[in-house]
Amino acid sequence: MLVDLSELLSREDKVKSVEIPLEMEVFTSKTGSYPVAEKKPMAFTFTGLGNRRVMLEADIDVTLTIPCDRCLEDVRENIRISTSKEINLGDTDVTRRDALDEMTYISGAEFDAEKFAYGEILVNLPMKVLCSESCKGICNRCGTNLNHEDCGCDTTEPDPRMAKALEVFNSFKEV
Ligand SMILES: [Zn+2]
Ligand SMILES: [Zn+2]
């Protein structure tokens, strides 16, 4: 949803507060697609600072479903963002694009809440998600989730494919 900030451009101390629903149902980034499990309306407060500058305060609360890094089970990851930024609406679109792509949520005097939210969630996305610190992961032999059962595979022996490769390697050495 777009918010028109033009009324804040010239009037210092003018404040505009809005609640905007987060539209996305799935958050997609280079690392994967994560369904939105829960979301709250986003809260934005814009304060005119004069000179075409606006102070933006934002609160975003969204829960994404992200697979555990070790066992791949779904984990509900709550992401809460509270941030403030100064926006200079006097910048032309061109200088803005050159500056940082995070500024592309501003076009003219319009603020794109959804684009802003996407960028903020992206930088706040956890690098590593675990269902629990003690997650045992999955067996690299049979794929059993070791949190649920013990498959009994002997993981101390090298992988059979690896053993085969070693065999071939050794037979070459003998020649
Ligand atoms: Zn796990
Ligand atoms: Zn196993």
Side-chain angles (χ1 to χ4, degrees), residues 124-142:
N124 283 282
L125 212 57
M127 298 295 280
K128 191 171 190 174
V129 172
L130 291 177
C131 60
S132 90
E133 277 302 321
S134 59
C135 173
K136 295 180 191 146
I138 51 178
C139 171
N140 58 13
R141 290 292 182 80
C142 69

PDB file of all heavy atoms in Angstrom, residues 124-142:
ATOM      1  N   ASN A 124      16.563  -8.650   8.395  1.00  0.00           N
ATOM      2  CA  ASN A 124      16.377  -9.195   9.740  1.00  0.00           C
ATOM      3  C   ASN A 124      16.144 -10.706   9.746  1.00  0.00           C
ATOM      4  O   ASN A 124      15.902 -11.295  10.796  1.00  0.00           O
ATOM      5  CB  ASN A 124      15.203  -8.502  10.437  1.00  0.00           C
ATOM      6  CG  ASN A 124      15.601  -7.118  10.920  1.00  0.00           C
ATOM      7  OD1 ASN A 124      16.255  -6.974  11.932  1.00  0.00           O
ATOM      8  ND2 ASN A 124      15.238  -6.101  10.156  1.00  0.00           N
ATOM      9  N   LEU A 125      16.215 -11.301   8.570  1.00  0.00           N
ATOM     10  CA  LEU A 125      16.016 -12.739   8.453  1.00  0.00           C
ATOM     11  C   LEU A 125      17.153 -13.456   9.190  1.00  0.00           C
ATOM     12  O   LEU A 125      18.308 -13.137   8.971  1.00  0.00           O
ATOM     13  CB  LEU A 125      16.042 -13.105   6.962  1.00  0.00           C
ATOM     14  CG  LEU A 125      15.199 -14.269   6.464  1.00  0.00           C
ATOM     15  CD1 LEU A 125      13.728 -14.071   6.792  1.00  0.00           C
ATOM     16  CD2 LEU A 125      15.382 -14.421   4.964  1.00  0.00           C
ATOM     17  N   PRO A 126      16.836 -14.413  10.068  1.00  0.00           N
ATOM     18  CA  PRO A 126      17.926 -15.091  10.778  1.00  0.00           C
ATOM     19  C   PRO A 126      18.799 -15.886   9.812  1.00  0.00           C
ATOM     20  O   PRO A 126      18.306 -16.464   8.851  1.00  0.00           O
ATOM     21  CB  PRO A 126      17.192 -16.023  11.758  1.00  0.00           C
ATOM     22  CG  PRO A 126      15.806 -16.145  11.240  1.00  0.00           C
ATOM     23  CD  PRO A 126      15.519 -14.929  10.418  1.00  0.00           C
ATOM     24  N   MET A 127      20.113 -15.887  10.048  1.00  0.00           N
ATOM     25  CA  MET A 127      21.047 -16.598   9.185  1.00  0.00           C
ATOM     26  C   MET A 127      20.838 -18.102   9.317  1.00  0.00           C
ATOM     27  O   MET A 127      20.995 -18.845   8.378  1.00  0.00           O
ATOM     28  CB  MET A 127      22.503 -16.286   9.579  1.00  0.00           C
ATOM     29  CG  MET A 127      22.882 -14.839   9.453  1.00  0.00           C
ATOM     30  SD  MET A 127      22.841 -14.315   7.728  1.00  0.00           S
ATOM     31  CE  MET A 127      24.414 -14.967   7.181  1.00  0.00           C
ATOM     32  N   LYS A 128      20.480 -18.532  10.520  1.00  0.00           N
ATOM     33  CA  LYS A 128      20.373 -19.953  10.785  1.00  0.00           C
ATOM     34  C   LYS A 128      19.174 -20.177  11.687  1.00  0.00           C
ATOM     35  O   LYS A 128      19.041 -19.521  12.708  1.00  0.00           O
ATOM     36  CB  LYS A 128      21.651 -20.410  11.493  1.00  0.00           C
ATOM     37  CG  LYS A 128      21.779 -21.896  11.601  1.00  0.00           C
ATOM     38  CD  LYS A 128      23.162 -22.254  12.108  1.00  0.00           C
ATOM     39  CE  LYS A 128      23.394 -23.748  11.992  1.00  0.00           C
ATOM     40  NZ  LYS A 128      24.774 -24.099  12.337  1.00  0.00           N
ATOM     41  N   VAL A 129      18.277 -21.084  11.274  1.00  0.00           N
ATOM     42  CA  VAL A 129      17.093 -21.384  12.070  1.00  0.00           C
ATOM     43  C   VAL A 129      17.190 -22.828  12.554  1.00  0.00           C
ATOM     44  O   VAL A 129      17.439 -23.742  11.778  1.00  0.00           O
ATOM     45  CB  VAL A 129      15.809 -21.192  11.222  1.00  0.00           C
ATOM     46  CG1 VAL A 129      14.589 -21.688  11.963  1.00  0.00           C
ATOM     47  CG2 VAL A 129      15.646 -19.728  10.845  1.00  0.00           C
ATOM     48  N   LEU A 130      17.025 -23.017  13.854  1.00  0.00           N
ATOM     49  CA  LEU A 130      17.040 -24.365  14.421  1.00  0.00           C
ATOM     50  C   LEU A 130      15.747 -24.583  15.186  1.00  0.00           C
ATOM     51  O   LEU A 130      15.261 -23.681  15.854  1.00  0.00           O
ATOM     52  CB  LEU A 130      18.226 -24.531  15.380  1.00  0.00           C
ATOM     53  CG  LEU A 130      19.622 -24.547  14.756  1.00  0.00           C
ATOM     54  CD1 LEU A 130      20.676 -24.641  15.846  1.00  0.00           C
ATOM     55  CD2 LEU A 130      19.776 -25.677  13.766  1.00  0.00           C
ATOM     56  N   CYS A 131      15.156 -25.802  15.083  1.00  0.00           N
ATOM     57  CA  CYS A 131      13.938 -26.093  15.828  1.00  0.00           C
ATOM     58  C   CYS A 131      14.256 -26.097  17.316  1.00  0.00           C
ATOM     59  O   CYS A 131      13.429 -25.736  18.140  1.00  0.00           O
ATOM     60  CB  CYS A 131      13.326 -27.416  15.370  1.00  0.00           C
ATOM     61  SG  CYS A 131      14.404 -28.840  15.585  1.00  0.00           S
ATOM     62  N   SER A 132      15.476 -26.488  17.668  1.00  0.00           N
ATOM     63  CA  SER A 132      15.963 -26.354  19.042  1.00  0.00           C
ATOM     64  C   SER A 132      17.479 -26.428  18.997  1.00  0.00           C
ATOM     65  O   SER A 132      18.047 -26.993  18.055  1.00  0.00           O
ATOM     66  CB  SER A 132      15.382 -27.435  19.947  1.00  0.00           C
ATOM     67  OG  SER A 132      16.230 -28.568  19.949  1.00  0.00           O
ATOM     68  N   GLU A 133      18.113 -25.866  20.008  1.00  0.00           N
ATOM     69  CA  GLU A 133      19.578 -25.845  20.053  1.00  0.00           C
ATOM     70  C   GLU A 133      20.138 -27.273  20.020  1.00  0.00           C
ATOM     71  O   GLU A 133      21.235 -27.505  19.543  1.00  0.00           O
ATOM     72  CB  GLU A 133      20.057 -25.136  21.321  1.00  0.00           C
ATOM     73  CG  GLU A 133      20.095 -23.613  21.212  1.00  0.00           C
ATOM     74  CD  GLU A 133      20.990 -23.130  20.069  1.00  0.00           C
ATOM     75  OE1 GLU A 133      22.053 -23.730  19.854  1.00  0.00           O
ATOM     76  OE2 GLU A 133      20.596 -22.160  19.383  1.00  0.00           O
ATOM     77  N   SER A 134      19.343 -28.215  20.531  1.00  0.00           N
ATOM     78  CA  SER A 134      19.843 -29.584  20.653  1.00  0.00           C
ATOM     79  C   SER A 134      19.357 -30.469  19.500  1.00  0.00           C
ATOM     80  O   SER A 134      19.423 -31.682  19.583  1.00  0.00           O
ATOM     81  CB  SER A 134      19.398 -30.182  21.987  1.00  0.00           C
ATOM     82  OG  SER A 134      17.987 -30.166  22.063  1.00  0.00           O
ATOM     83  N   CYS A 135      18.855 -29.841  18.432  1.00  0.00           N
ATOM     84  CA  CYS A 135      18.360 -30.625  17.291  1.00  0.00           C
ATOM     85  C   CYS A 135      19.448 -31.579  16.799  1.00  0.00           C
ATOM     86  O   CYS A 135      20.581 -31.189  16.569  1.00  0.00           O
ATOM     87  CB  CYS A 135      17.939 -29.698  16.152  1.00  0.00           C
ATOM     88  SG  CYS A 135      17.507 -30.603  14.645  1.00  0.00           S
ATOM     89  N   LYS A 136      19.075 -32.858  16.636  1.00  0.00           N
ATOM     90  CA  LYS A 136      20.061 -33.864  16.233  1.00  0.00           C
ATOM     91  C   LYS A 136      20.177 -33.976  14.718  1.00  0.00           C
ATOM     92  O   LYS A 136      21.009 -34.731  14.209  1.00  0.00           O
ATOM     93  CB  LYS A 136      19.668 -35.222  16.808  1.00  0.00           C
ATOM     94  CG  LYS A 136      19.716 -35.254  18.333  1.00  0.00           C
ATOM     95  CD  LYS A 136      19.312 -36.637  18.820  1.00  0.00           C
ATOM     96  CE  LYS A 136      19.072 -36.651  20.314  1.00  0.00           C
ATOM     97  NZ  LYS A 136      17.997 -37.603  20.657  1.00  0.00           N
ATOM     98  N   GLY A 137      19.272 -33.314  13.989  1.00  0.00           N
ATOM     99  CA  GLY A 137      19.357 -33.342  12.535  1.00  0.00           C
ATOM    100  C   GLY A 137      18.845 -34.643  11.946  1.00  0.00           C
ATOM    101  O   GLY A 137      18.153 -35.410  12.614  1.00  0.00           O
ATOM    102  N   ILE A 138      19.179 -34.855  10.677  1.00  0.00           N
ATOM    103  CA  ILE A 138      18.741 -36.092  10.030  1.00  0.00           C
ATOM    104  C   ILE A 138      19.955 -36.969   9.741  1.00  0.00           C
ATOM    105  O   ILE A 138      21.046 -36.472   9.517  1.00  0.00           O
ATOM    106  CB  ILE A 138      17.961 -35.814   8.712  1.00  0.00           C
ATOM    107  CG1 ILE A 138      18.743 -34.868   7.792  1.00  0.00           C
ATOM    108  CG2 ILE A 138      16.584 -35.258   8.989  1.00  0.00           C
ATOM    109  CD1 ILE A 138      18.040 -34.608   6.480  1.00  0.00           C
ATOM    110  N   CYS A 139      19.715 -38.293   9.742  1.00  0.00           N
ATOM    111  CA  CYS A 139      20.779 -39.258   9.459  1.00  0.00           C
ATOM    112  C   CYS A 139      21.245 -39.063   8.019  1.00  0.00           C
ATOM    113  O   CYS A 139      20.422 -39.024   7.103  1.00  0.00           O
ATOM    114  CB  CYS A 139      20.258 -40.674   9.654  1.00  0.00           C
ATOM    115  SG  CYS A 139      21.429 -41.929   9.083  1.00  0.00           S
ATOM    116  N   ASN A 140      22.547 -38.949   7.808  1.00  0.00           N
ATOM    117  CA  ASN A 140      23.024 -38.713   6.437  1.00  0.00           C
ATOM    118  C   ASN A 140      23.060 -39.999   5.623  1.00  0.00           C
ATOM    119  O   ASN A 140      23.418 -40.001   4.464  1.00  0.00           O
ATOM    120  CB  ASN A 140      24.386 -38.004   6.438  1.00  0.00           C
ATOM    121  CG  ASN A 140      25.448 -38.774   7.189  1.00  0.00           C
ATOM    122  OD1 ASN A 140      25.260 -39.950   7.513  1.00  0.00           O
ATOM    123  ND2 ASN A 140      26.544 -38.113   7.490  1.00  0.00           N
ATOM    124  N   ARG A 141      22.664 -41.106   6.256  1.00  0.00           N
ATOM    125  CA  ARG A 141      22.600 -42.380   5.536  1.00  0.00           C
ATOM    126  C   ARG A 141      21.180 -42.650   5.034  1.00  0.00           C
ATOM    127  O   ARG A 141      20.967 -42.952   3.879  1.00  0.00           O
ATOM    128  CB  ARG A 141      23.016 -43.543   6.457  1.00  0.00           C
ATOM    129  CG  ARG A 141      24.478 -43.542   6.789  1.00  0.00           C
ATOM    130  CD  ARG A 141      25.301 -43.860   5.545  1.00  0.00           C
ATOM    131  NE  ARG A 141      26.713 -43.905   5.862  1.00  0.00           N
ATOM    132  CZ  ARG A 141      27.298 -44.940   6.414  1.00  0.00           C
ATOM    133  NH1 ARG A 141      26.603 -46.015   6.727  1.00  0.00           N
ATOM    134  NH2 ARG A 141      28.586 -44.905   6.675  1.00  0.00           N
ATOM    135  N   CYS A 142      20.214 -42.610   5.998  1.00  0.00           N
ATOM    136  CA  CYS A 142      18.868 -43.056   5.647  1.00  0.00           C
ATOM    137  C   CYS A 142      17.846 -41.921   5.683  1.00  0.00           C
ATOM    138  O   CYS A 142      16.697 -42.119   5.300  1.00  0.00           O
ATOM    139  CB  CYS A 142      18.414 -44.179   6.567  1.00  0.00           C
ATOM    140  SG  CYS A 142      18.128 -43.643   8.257  1.00  0.00           S
TER     141      CYS A 142
END
